[in-house]
């Protein structure tokens, strides 16, 4: 490594992290740069293919991180099996897992080798905009643990290159170009003041194509993301039926692993402007599970305020502060 420093590039498969990788290689040489991809298990197939495209085109190796929740799942199984709690919650439901719910959950609560699914099985629910545990557990913590392990093993300074731009969002408008995170640990953001056009120009100038998802879905990230809009759902459903089939299967498994027995990938308030409590739990879950969402998304019209807790078609987007999520 140049000057004894380890240079790690957080790679998401999106345009910004790809441009950042190219800059790092230009300045340091590919032998001195280590691209790292945190695999959630909920990526679009095109993104996995794009990583292979970059490896082949640039002659590099991308380290793929996959968190393992086997130990946590084993502890959760033990807790459920031994649950003898008394009392009821605020809604009047028993706190203790019923014997029926125990049998149902223990039948499916097993590691699947898919980080996203395993995490949701462990939680008994899918992430929401109010409880976005996916970014924390699958991206940030996994990447930080990797960097910390490298620092301890190598004993050398580490510079993490991040594909973050100030123009992306208000959250990033004050992002620093270089930031000291700890002793011998720095974050470097070489494209922090770039425009979107400059990012795509950088990729093109290296004779590369951007992730093909920009031509179909318009962005790169989890497929689907919890922040998906009505338009996103329509595009995803048309891009690869395996994605919606996978969500349907995940809802079944996570539902079985939950105390209630139901789970929906897209959660939030009732659809079509209904108020909480106006519909039964069964109707609520039916409307929010993937088949209900597909029917709703197929209808033309704007994204309705209150649906899934979003503000609208231009509402919040998922994004790791470390640039590990798509863009």
């Amino acid at each position: 490594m140049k000057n004894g420093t380890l240079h790690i590039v957080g790679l998401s498969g999106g345009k910004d992290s790809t441009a950042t990788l190219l800059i790092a290689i230009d300045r340091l040489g590919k032998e001195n740069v280590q691209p790292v991809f945190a695999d959630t298990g909920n990526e679009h197939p095109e993104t996995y293919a794009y990583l292979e495209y970059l490896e082949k085109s640039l002659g590099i190796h991308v380290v793929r991180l996959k968190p393992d929740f086997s130990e946590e799942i084993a502890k959760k199984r033990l807790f459920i099996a031994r649950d003898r709690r008394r009392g009821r919650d605020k809604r009047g439901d028993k706190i203790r897992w019923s014997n029926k719910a125990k049998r149902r959950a223990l039948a499916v609560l097993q590691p699947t080798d898919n980080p996203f699914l395993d995490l949701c099985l462990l939680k008994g629910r899918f992430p929401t905009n109010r409880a976005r545990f996916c970014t924390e557990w699958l991206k940030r913590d996994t990447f930080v643990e990797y960097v910390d392990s490298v620092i301890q093993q190598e004993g050398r300074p580490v510079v993490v290159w991040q594909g973050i731009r100030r123009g992306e969002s208000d959250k990033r408008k004050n992002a620093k170009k270089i930031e000291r995170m700890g002793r011998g640990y720095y974050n470097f953001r070489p494209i922090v003041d770039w425009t979107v056009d400059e990012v795509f120009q950088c990729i093109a100038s290296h004779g590369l194509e951007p992730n093909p998802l920009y031509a179909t879905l318009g962005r790169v990230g989890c497929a689907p993301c919890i922040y998906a809009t009505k338009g996103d759902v329509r595009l995803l459903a048309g891009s690869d039926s395996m994605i919606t089939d996978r969500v349907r299967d995940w809802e079944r498994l996570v539902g079985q692993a939950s105390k209630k027995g139901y789970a929906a990938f897209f959660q939030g308030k009732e659809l079509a402007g209904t108020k909480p409590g106006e519909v039964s739990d069964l109707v609520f879950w039916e409307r929010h599970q993937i088949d209900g969402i597909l029917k709703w998304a197929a209808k033309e019209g704007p994204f309705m305020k209150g649906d899934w807790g979003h503000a609208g078609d231009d509402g919040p987007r998922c994004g790791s502060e470390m640039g590990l999520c798509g863009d």
Side-chain angles (χ1 to χ4, degrees):
M1 295 288 180
K2 181 173 285 190
N3 299 324
T5 300
L6 298 169
H7 293 272
I8 299 173
V9 178
L11 186 64
S12 70
K15 62 185 186 304
D16 294 336
S17 64
T18 299
T20 299
L21 172 62
L22 295 174
I23 294 171
I25 291 175
D26 286 346
R27 295 184 185 181
L28 304 168
K30 63 184 180 182
E31 67 279 4
N32 296 313
V33 175
Q34 182 58 74
V36 176
F37 172 72
D39 185 2
T40 65
N42 187 28
E43 313 289 338
H44 197 287
E46 291 282 7
T47 295
Y48 293 121
Y50 188 68
L51 293 176
E52 296 178 1
Y53 163 76
L54 290 178
E55 287 180 316
K56 183 177 180 179
S57 300
L58 299 174
I60 60 173
H61 170 66
V62 177
V63 173
R64 291 162 172 79
L65 307 179
K66 288 181 65 174
D68 182 5
F69 299 109
S70 299
E71 184 176 341
E72 290 86 349
I73 288 176
K75 292 179 180 178
K76 181 68 176 290
R77 287 181 57 84
L78 191 61
F79 168 79
I80 292 175
R82 293 179 174 179
D83 189 13
R84 296 291 186 273
R85 292 174 296 171
R86 296 182 179 182
R88 297 177 181 271
D89 60 22
K90 294 180 180 180
R91 298 182 57 183
D93 297 327
K94 290 183 178 179
I95 297 176
R96 182 180 71 84
W97 284 71
S98 68
N99 291 334
K100 180 180 179 181
K102 286 182 179 183
R103 290 192 296 270
R104 185 187 67 238
L106 294 176
V108 299
L109 191 54
Q110 300 281 358
T112 67
D113 196 39
N114 183 297
F116 184 87
L117 177 57
D118 285 355
L119 179 58
C120 294
L121 288 170
L122 176 64
K123 296 282 189 178
R125 59 179 293 191
F126 292 97
T128 68
N129 59 338
R130 292 186 178 182
R132 200 182 68 185
F133 52 78
C134 48
T135 302
E136 178 182 354
W137 288 58
L138 301 176
K139 289 287 188 179
R140 188 194 68 188
D141 290 357
T142 301
F143 189 83
V144 170
E145 288 174 6
Y146 173 80
V147 173
D148 287 345
S149 68
V150 169
I151 292 175
Q152 293 176 10
Q153 292 174 11
E154 299 288 343
R156 289 185 284 173
V158 168
V159 175
V160 175
W161 295 56
Q162 298 177 343
I164 288 177
R165 295 181 297 106
R166 296 190 183 112
E168 286 181 272
S169 65
D170 286 340
K171 185 178 179 180
R172 295 179 176 177
K173 65 181 181 181
N174 296 318
K176 298 177 181 179
K177 192 162 190 175
I178 188 165
E179 188 173 10
R180 184 177 184 272
M181 306 305 294
R183 185 176 180 181
Y185 180 4
Y186 299 87
N187 285 337
F188 179 49
R189 307 173 180 110
I191 66 169
V192 72
D193 54 359
W194 282 28
T195 65
V196 174
D197 288 342
E198 287 176 314
V199 171
F200 281 117
Q201 288 170 8
C202 174
I203 296 174
S205 69
H206 286 79
L208 297 175
E209 297 290 335
N211 191 315
L213 289 177
Y214 289 111
T216 55
L217 303 182
R219 69 184 303 272
V220 174
C222 286
C225 174
I226 62 169
Y227 284 121
T229 64
K230 173 182 277 191
D232 292 337
V233 173
R234 282 199 295 261
L235 290 172
L236 273 173
S239 71
D240 192 332
S241 62
M242 290 181 61
I243 294 175
T244 51
D245 290 342
R246 181 178 65 182
V247 171
R248 189 177 295 108
D249 188 50
W250 286 356
E251 287 181 333
R252 177 183 60 82
L253 292 171
V254 175
Q256 288 181 274
S258 71
K259 189 185 292 186
K260 289 184 176 181
Y262 300 96
F265 190 97
F266 297 108
Q267 299 178 54
K269 300 178 182 179
E270 284 86 346
L271 298 179
T274 57
K275 298 178 181 179
E278 286 186 350
V279 296
S280 68
D281 283 347
L282 289 177
V283 172
F284 175 83
W285 291 116
E286 182 180 350
R287 290 183 176 183
H288 280 72
Q289 287 175 332
I290 187 62
D291 289 321
I293 291 297
L294 290 175
K295 291 178 182 178
W296 169 78
K299 299 177 181 179
E300 295 296 331
F303 199 97
M304 298 185 65
K305 184 176 181 180
D307 295 344
W308 312 345
H310 291 313
D313 277 328
D314 295 320
R317 290 285 194 178
C318 183
S320 165
E321 67 273 17
M322 305 182 73
L324 299 171
C325 296
D327 46 71

